[in-house]
Structure formats: structure tokens, C-alpha cells
Amino acid sequence: MFHADSSAAIIEDGEVKFAIAEERLNRIKHYAGFPSLAVQACLDFMGAKITDVHHVAIGQDTDANLAKKLQYTLANPSGILNFVHLRRRKQAMRNVRILLANALGVDHKAMRFREHRVEHHIAHIASAYYCSPWEKAAGFSYDGSGDFVSTMMARCEGTRIDVLNRIFLPQSLGSFYTMICEFIGYNQYGDEGKVMGLAPYGKDTYYEHLRQIVGLNNGSFRLDIDYFKPLGSNQGMQVLPDGTVRLARHFSDKMVKDFGEPRQPRTEITRREMDLACAMQQRFEEVFFHLLNQLHKRVPVDLLAMAGGCALNSVANGKLFDRTPFRHTWIQPAAGDEGLAIGAALYTYHTILDQPHRHAMKHSYFGPEFSDSRIERALKENNLRYRKLERTPLLESVANQLAAGAVVGWFQGRMEWGPRALGNRSILAHPGLASMKDVLNARVKHREWFRPFAPSILAERQHEYFEHDHPSPFMLHVYKIRPEKREQLCAVNHVDGTGRLQSVASQENPLYYDLIRSFKQETGIPVLLNTSFNENEPIVCTPQEAIDCFKRTHMDALAIGPFLVFRSEN
Ligand SMILES: [Fe+2]
């Protein structure tokens, strides 16, 4: 709450039942206020009231690492005002009972829950380890910052998470990445993922220079802070009164002195931006692997449980099997800060309440779903012509459309938890048509030319198409596509011959799996192009939002529950 990607999750007897980011409900991207609608949605799903809830856990502990915060502030007196402002703001939002009572319209005296605060990065690691099927793992979390820490390493065993190391601000690999992204004109919260796609277009011209900015340091790393603005309010992120998030400027004048004027957003991307993106990604990976190798020395197992915003760097994730001793990853699908809701709840359950019974998270479909009658009502209210189909004819019709080059909105079942659309709120297309990327960008998605689209592949066929067979169920790994398959997958093959794949197993999403299989029967390709169902907005949640997006853009068809809508008939 009061942090970008505010969210809520509800667990019962250690099992995640429902989880959602507030942005999906109030439609404000990366919303950073109080997650009122998300809390209400959790309760509605359970058929419960807030008075039924026994424990409320928050993935933020303003008292954690206080000594380090003070130490930094005293050494950097210019930051004292910010520090005081930050503490005051945080004090104001401490009373969760009042906040919940106001959000839900209940008397705060009627609530009987116990309240728990879990340090930011412990919650991140908990969101990965407790959801993994493992009894022992190395835990790793890294991001811009949370509770004054940017990186945490832990030994996870049974129900315990033992913190081995914290890297404190201003040292932050996430801030380094954000700083360069801002400098090259990507200055919105969450833009880092876009720049990752730009990196392979560049050369390593600035590699030596960036190596000076982030040095390796005996199992850790060290930023040259002359290139960074001193820490500001909320550690580089401003939350505006309407709950939207704005990044404070991260780079200092020294960046301008060394590299020239920063690129203004929406201006032409030059060689310099590509080369900076390339060197940044390269240096980021090196430091990441250095940290992981250090972690492995202290926790010598080959299982890695990971979260934190930087864990969304799927390019780095895809390489770690070759560059570190880790052989298996379990990365929380909501690796960014919305995932803290699940992590804080599971940490409370297992560690604070000492409950041993674990539930592995096998999919990410923890959001709302809508009945056929509700969907049909929305179609009627929008005066759309549609047909209702049984499962097999629906799959065959959609596969047939996709094979013929159509762009299809695919809205099914429960919405995904986390930033990726994984086949329930997706826009789908043929992955082997050379023009498809341009078609999607011109008609539907309007994204930057350099951003790749992602492939969803039948899990058992992954090794035939990709050079790695470690599964990527949550689209969190980028692997090389085998050279002989790149033409067949040309619409999802990035400039460096890679793809950020989703491996789809039948037991995780049977309907989506069978759709890909139907497409394979038509085309011989066990892969679909999968991009999120949205257009410059949070991913659609409700049938009405899907219909609005379908009408606004130029999709050819919409498969929404058992109903199929064709643009040509409307
Ligand atoms: Fe975080």
C-alpha cells in the first residue's frame, strides 16, 4: 500500500486463493495508493468480511534498517528534509485498521485481526520460496529499493527464511538500470522492461565506461554515486496525490558531462541510446551473476527462489543456468512489488505463525473470473453479434482464424496475477508471419518498434525450438531460439535470435494448451504469439474492458468465454 503496484492477496490455511493488483480494478497503471478495491475483491472471492480475517500482513516495515537509514542521512545532510518528510508520510499511513475501515465502510472496532509488518525483501523472497515446491533453496531478491535495501540473499529451508546478506542504499543494481533508462528517455515507472528489448540492437561501446559506474566488490558491487542524484523522497519515486507514480530524476550532471544531453522521450533513438542499453544490460547481468555465485557459495544447492523487480529481467534469468551453478529457478510471477502481498501473507503464515504446511503455486490465475451469463449480458449491452460455441468448435474456430493470420482477443477464466498475460487475458496471433509484428503494432498495440512479441509454446515441445529446456511457465526467461526454427517463429524471434517464452503445460492451463495444440494441427507450429490484452492501459480485467479494447483497436475476432465475436460481422 502507498507504494507503486499496490495490491492485495488472501490466503487460507497457507494457500493463495485470490490476488490482484489495484491497477487492474481502478485502471490506474502502477497505482500507488491504498488497495481498497483489491482488498474488497479478495473478500468477495472468499465470501468473507474483513471481520472474518485473522491476520493482516503488509510487505513493508518502516522500522526495518532504521540505523542504516539514519547513518546515510547523517552522512548526506542534504537529504535530511526528505528523510523527515518520508518518515512523516509513513507515520500517517501506519494505522491499517483505520485505513481498512475507511476503505470498506466498516467500524474499525469490529476488526479482530492481528497486524504484521514484513520487511520488503523478506516478503519478496517469501513470495518465491514459499510458492516453490522445494524444501531447501537459495533465496534472492533485488530491485531499486525497499525498506532501504536493494538486494537480499537468504537461506531458505523448511519454513525458515534466514537472511544472509543485505545490500543497502544507495548501492542498488535496480537504480543503476533505472538511471540509464531515464537518461536514454525512458523515464516512466516500469519502463525498464522496454529498454531490455533495445539492448540487443546496440554494441558494447560504453561497456568500459559503465563498468566504472558499477564496480564489482568482493561478492557485492559498488556504484560510483557521482553519476546519481542523492536519494530523494521515497527513494527515487514520487507518489502523486492521485496515486500515480512519477520517477524522480536519478542521473546526475556527471552523466550529462560524460555522455551528452539526455534523450528526450518520444524523440528518435540513436546509436548512443542503443549502445548504452546494450552496455547497461551486459553490466547488469555480470553483477547479477557475481551476486548469485556469491549466494551459491553460502547456500550450495542448485535451486534458486527469486523475486524483486529486477527478477523481471528475463534476459538475465535465461542466462543464469550457464553463468552460475543454479540449475532450477522458481521466480514469483508477480516479481515486482505487487508480489509483496503474497509474500507478506505467506511469511506471516509460515514463519510468524509457525505453520509448516506448504502449497506450491502451480499457476498464476488468481484474479477474478466472470460467468457466461455476465459475459453474454456485456456482449448484448454492446450490441455485438456473436455466436456461442462448445469447447472443441471454439478452439477449432479460433485456431483456424489464427492460422489465417487473424489477430484474436482471448479472454478466458481467471485473470493472471503479475504483469504477464499468460493465456487468459491475451491477444494472440500467428508467430510465423513476417508481417505480424508490424500488423500488431499498427492496429492494436502501438508499441516501440524494437520491442519483441512473446511466444507461448507447448511445454513438451520447448526443447525442439529453444536451446534451453528449463520451463518458463510465467514468461520470465529469454532463451535462444534454435537457428533452424527462427524463420518458423519470425514474428517472435528477436533481433538476437531469442524469445521470451511461456512454456504451457496442459495441467496448468488446459484450455490455452489445447488452443495451441489446435493451432499446431492447422499449421504444424506448436507456438502462438501471445501479447497482453490491453492497449496503453492496465491489462483488461472485466468483459466490458475486453469489449472496449476490442472495439477500440483493430482485432479481427474476440473469443470471450464460449462466445466468438467477429469484427467483420459487427
Ligand atoms: Fe521491491
Side-chain angles (χ1 to χ4, degrees):
M1 59 180 194
F2 303 116
H3 187 92
D5 297 321
S6 85
S7 66
I10 195 153
I11 73 171
E12 184 180 43
D13 299 331
E15 188 178 2
V16 177
K17 295 291 190 179
F18 189 95
I20 190 166
E22 185 75 359
E23 66 155 33
R24 303 293 172 88
L25 296 167
N26 72 3
R27 314 304 296 160
I28 300 172
K29 229 172 177 174
H30 301 300
Y31 182 72
F34 189 77
S36 311
L37 300 173
V39 169
Q40 186 66 60
C42 287
L43 295 170
D44 290 348
F45 181 84
M46 300 298 288
K49 297 192 285 295
I50 191 69
T51 46
D52 300 322
V53 172
H54 297 112
H55 298 271
V56 171
I58 295 140
Q60 180 186 53
D61 182 1
T62 38
D63 294 334
N65 309 308
L66 203 51
K68 280 281 173 187
K69 288 181 201 170
L70 274 170
Q71 193 185 330
Y72 176 85
T73 307
L74 293 175
N76 299 273
S78 65
I80 282 181
L81 267 180
N82 277 328
F83 181 80
V84 171
H85 167 78
L86 198 63
R87 293 291 301 169
R88 199 180 293 144
R89 206 172 71 80
K90 286 188 171 168
Q91 292 301 336
M93 64 197 201
R94 279 199 72 92
N95 200 328
V96 173
R97 265 163 230 277
I98 302 287
L99 289 163
L100 278 170
N102 291 343
L104 303 170
V106 235
D107 180 0
H108 70 92
K109 292 190 208 84
M111 295 178 209
R112 57 200 175 104
F113 60 78
R114 267 174 63 197
E115 187 186 326
H116 309 271
R117 300 274 172 164
V118 180
E119 185 185 341
H120 187 101
H121 284 275
I122 293 179
H124 271 317
I125 290 177
S127 77
Y129 172 63
Y130 290 132
C131 295
S132 79
W134 305 326
E135 279 300 314
K136 185 173 183 183
F140 189 73
S141 168
Y142 69 142
D143 60 15
S145 73
D147 289 330
F148 213 68
V149 171
S150 74
T151 311
M152 183 179 278
M153 300 183 189
R155 179 186 293 109
C156 308
E157 193 163 0
T159 58
R160 289 183 62 86
I161 293 177
D162 292 319
V163 177
L164 301 174
N165 190 19
R166 287 177 177 85
I167 298 177
F168 295 98
L169 294 184
Q171 304 306 327
S172 165
L173 200 50
S175 292
F176 161 71
Y177 209 96
T178 301
M179 185 274 275
I180 304 284
C181 288
E182 280 184 6
F183 184 79
I184 62 178
Y186 290 90
N187 58 4
Q188 302 294 309
Y189 186 88
D191 271 356
E192 292 86 348
K194 298 181 185 174
V195 180
M196 192 171 65
L198 182 63
Y201 288 91
K203 299 195 189 68
D204 62 359
T205 323
Y206 301 116
Y207 171 71
E208 279 304 324
H209 209 137
L210 295 199
R211 217 164 72 98
Q212 304 304 316
I213 299 180
V214 199
L216 294 181
N217 178 9
N218 193 23
S220 182
F221 63 92
R222 191 128 207 107
L223 300 181
D224 181 344
I225 56 170
D226 288 349
Y227 287 89
F228 297 79
K229 284 267 194 194
L231 290 181
S233 165
N234 208 4
Q235 297 153 16
M237 184 182 75
Q238 295 168 344
V239 179
L240 305 182
D242 64 357
T244 55
V245 182
R246 194 163 61 194
L247 282 182
R249 182 174 138 168
H250 279 58
F251 60 87
S252 72
D253 291 342
K254 191 160 167 58
M255 274 298 289
V256 182
K257 190 166 154 277
D258 285 13
F259 296 98
E261 287 300 315
R263 171 182 167 268
Q264 293 305 309
R266 290 169 291 282
T267 60
E268 194 195 341
I269 293 170
T270 66
R271 172 60 43 205
R272 181 189 68 161
E273 282 77 55
M274 296 180 201
D275 290 357
L276 271 170
C278 171
M280 166 187 72
Q281 177 68 27
Q282 191 180 342
R283 192 58 183 155
F284 176 89
E285 289 169 13
E286 281 171 356
V287 178
F288 174 50
F289 302 141
H290 180 74
L291 294 168
L292 287 186
N293 285 319
Q294 182 67 20
L295 171 61
H296 188 266
K297 280 187 196 148
R298 300 188 67 178
V299 190
V301 294
D302 62 4
L303 310 175
L304 175 67
M306 184 163 66
C310 295
L312 295 170
N313 195 310
S314 45
V315 175
N317 296 344
K319 293 177 185 170
L320 74 85
F321 305 108
D322 296 330
R323 300 286 298 275
T324 77
F326 292 109
R327 291 295 161 264
H328 304 277
T329 57
W330 203 97
I331 308 172
Q332 166 58 235
D337 286 343
E338 73 268 47
L340 296 172
I342 277 186
L346 290 174
Y347 185 80
T348 298
Y349 181 77
H350 290 299
T351 298
I352 299 174
L353 304 177
D354 199 23
Q355 294 293 322
H357 192 59
R358 300 261 307 275
H359 287 270
M361 185 188 279
K362 298 198 172 100
H363 61 77
S364 74
Y365 309 106
F366 290 107
E369 70 181 328
F370 299 87
S371 65
D372 292 354
S373 60
R374 167 95 189 260
I375 296 172
E376 190 163 23
R377 199 169 72 224
L379 291 167
K380 284 189 173 139
E381 281 166 6
N382 286 272
N383 296 318
L384 287 170
R385 285 170 195 271
Y386 59 89
R387 58 200 76 183
K388 185 175 185 184
L389 297 172
E390 296 293 323
R391 191 179 194 275
T392 304
L394 178 77
L395 293 175
E396 282 169 1
S397 292
V398 173
N400 189 271
Q401 287 293 311
L402 290 165
V407 175
V408 181
W410 179 254
F411 181 105
Q412 304 290 342
R414 296 185 67 179
M415 186 178 69
E416 297 87 346
W417 158 246
R420 302 276 91 87
L422 298 169
N424 282 5
R425 299 288 185 279
S426 291
I427 296 171
L428 306 175
H430 194 309
L433 299 179
S435 59
M436 192 46 82
K437 199 176 148 182
D438 292 338
V439 167
L440 276 168
N441 271 332
R443 286 166 51 186
V444 190
K445 297 288 287 191
H446 314 297
R447 306 203 308 182
E448 293 84 349
W449 57 268
F450 56 81
R451 291 175 64 191
F453 286 103
S456 295
I457 184 164
L458 298 180
E460 68 275 13
R461 303 291 298 275
Q462 183 179 327
H463 66 283
E464 291 170 46
Y465 283 78
F466 290 88
E467 293 185 356
H468 267 284
D469 59 3
H470 187 286
S472 181
F474 304 129
M475 221 182 242
L476 286 167
H477 301 79
V478 168
Y479 299 139
K480 286 261 184 217
I481 299 174
R482 291 189 185 279
E484 68 275 19
K485 298 292 188 190
R486 286 178 195 165
E487 202 181 324
Q488 204 183 73
L489 300 187
C490 60
V492 292
N493 177 36
H494 200 26
V495 62
D496 55 351
T498 62
R500 187 186 69 194
L501 72 158
Q502 175 197 3
S503 8
V504 183
S506 157
Q507 65 274 23
E508 286 155 15
N509 192 336
L511 187 69
Y512 188 43
Y513 178 92
D514 286 346
L515 177 66
I516 305 173
R517 220 170 50 164
S518 301
F519 180 77
K520 186 203 77 188
Q521 273 153 11
E522 296 262 344
T523 61
I525 307 174
V527 179
L528 279 176
L529 182 158
N530 172 10
T531 185
S532 51
F533 200 144
N534 60 345
E535 183 224 7
N536 293 322
E537 61 184 322
I539 295 176
V540 300
C541 176
T542 65
Q544 185 59 50
E545 285 151 14
I547 291 167
D548 287 342
C549 185
F550 170 71
K551 286 164 83 173
R552 209 168 53 234
T553 62
H554 293 85
M555 281 180 241
D556 299 295
L558 170 65
I560 180 164
F563 307 101
L564 190 55
V565 187
F566 288 104
R567 171 162 300 280
S568 57
E569 294 175 359
N570 282 284

